[in-house]
Amino acid sequence: MMRDGLRLYGHYVSIHIKSMMQYKSSFFLAVTGQFLVSFNVFLGMFFMFQRFSAVGGFTYSQVLLCFGIFLMEFSLAECVARGFDTFSSMVRKGEFDRVLVRPRGAVLQVLGSRFELTRIGRMLQAAVMFGYGVGKSGISWDVPRVITVVFMVAGGTALFFGIFLVGAALCFFTLESLEIMNIFTDGAREFGRYPAGVYGKRILQLCTFVVPYGLVQHYPLLFLLGKRKEVWWMFVPLLAFVFVIPCYGVWRAGVRRYQSAGS
């Protein structure tokens, strides 16, 4: 069953890619635009660190390493879960009715409804910042630290996927997407420029026990930088997968409530 689902999702993705490649100029311009928007953030951080040598005990290269990973997490989630980010139009037009009568899971079909390959522009910017951070942060790379980065990206992608899932579920109750959810997606992307700990103890607690950005950003970064020595810190990002469970519960509650909104 899972293999069939993955094969079907791969087919969805291939259709979207072929569609985008019909307009190559538009696609590459969109990718360039995504890259340049993120590059502006990079410049802002660069000029700030010309004035200050460190923020909250983190140097410029360390902050770039942190933000590069966090931006990669967000970009991957937005690329894959774009169908949930734009889900309000599907509910408002009654298109979700068709999803429910098809012999496939609703989550898989919504995932396959949109695939934003243009987000590769942000991923390239994230890779540039990550590469610079790796080269300048002075980290002694070993297998546990490499695995930590992999876990951070995987856990962060799952975390943002869960947030997009909650945002889509709320559309069952409001018919329109709620702008407040942008605080937890686009707002979090901007917030994630710096390790969560620099914002203070209360914010760090919020980012640990409520919306656990810190699990895929602040805490594993401390291990990467050698500020925490215990090897088990490398597994902290995997706890973000637990966050997806209540998010899926909210989605299921919304699906059960849905009674069609189309004309």
Side-chain angles (χ1 to χ4, degrees):
M1 183 66 70
M2 183 177 294
R3 182 179 299 176
D4 290 341
L6 291 174
R7 186 181 299 115
L8 178 60
Y9 180 70
H11 182 62
Y12 282 142
V13 171
S14 67
I15 291 174
H16 286 298
I17 292 176
K18 289 177 182 177
S19 176
M20 285 183 283
M21 289 299 102
Q22 295 300 312
Y23 305 93
K24 294 182 177 63
S25 297
S26 176
F27 170 76
F28 287 113
L29 286 173
V31 170
T32 302
Q34 291 288 335
F35 180 89
L36 292 177
V37 168
S38 298
F39 188 70
N40 287 335
V41 177
F42 171 81
L43 288 178
M45 296 170 66
F46 173 79
F47 289 123
M48 192 193 75
F49 275 94
Q50 296 301 301
R51 181 79 178 230
F52 306 99
S53 60
V55 174
F58 295 93
T59 65
Y60 177 56
S61 59
Q62 293 171 347
V63 167
L64 281 186
L65 178 66
C66 172
F67 185 50
I69 296 174
F70 199 69
L71 183 61
M72 180 66 72
E73 297 165 358
F74 176 80
S75 301
L76 283 172
E78 191 179 33
C79 177
V80 174
R82 185 63 172 170
F84 288 105
D85 193 30
T86 60
F87 184 68
S88 61
S89 63
M90 181 178 287
V91 173
R92 189 172 58 253
K93 296 175 183 178
E95 296 175 356
F96 191 65
D97 295 17
R98 295 202 302 267
V99 170
L100 293 178
V101 299
R102 291 170 180 163
R104 288 292 181 181
V107 171
L108 177 63
Q109 293 184 65
V110 176
L111 279 176
S113 66
R114 292 288 298 272
F115 185 80
E116 289 287 352
L117 189 61
T118 57
R119 295 307 187 262
I120 195 173
R122 284 183 185 163
M123 297 180 199
L124 290 173
Q125 182 61 51
V128 170
M129 289 190 288
F130 176 76
Y132 182 90
V134 167
K136 299 293 185 177
S137 58
I139 296 176
S140 299
W141 289 96
D142 51 22
V143 173
R145 283 179 170 79
V146 172
I147 294 176
T148 300
V149 172
V150 174
F151 286 168
M152 289 173 73
V153 173
T157 303
L159 170 64
F160 280 110
F161 173 80
I163 295 173
F164 283 126
L165 195 61
V166 170
L170 294 179
C171 295
F172 290 121
F173 302 92
T174 64
L175 297 185
E176 292 285 350
S177 58
L178 298 179
E179 289 300 320
I180 193 173
M181 291 305 299
N182 289 333
I183 296 175
F184 303 101
T185 52
D186 295 296
R189 183 191 66 209
E190 301 303 313
F191 167 86
R193 298 182 194 180
Y194 307 100
V198 307
Y199 298 104
K201 180 179 179 181
R202 297 300 181 189
I203 297 297
L204 182 58
Q205 290 174 340
L206 181 69
C207 294
T208 301
F209 301 107
V210 181
V211 186
Y213 302 115
L215 299 181
V216 298
Q217 187 230 40
H218 177 74
Y219 297 110
L221 181 68
L222 296 180
F223 176 71
L224 289 180
L225 299 177
K227 297 178 182 290
R228 291 292 184 272
K229 303 296 184 181
E230 299 84 352
V231 178
W232 61 265
W233 280 72
M234 65 183 287
F235 298 103
V236 170
L238 298 181
L239 295 176
F241 285 91
V242 179
F243 177 74
V244 180
I245 297 175
C247 295
Y248 181 71
V250 175
W251 166 262
R252 290 298 303 164
V255 171
R256 287 193 295 268
R257 184 187 182 281
Y258 180 72
Q259 295 181 348
S260 181
S263 60

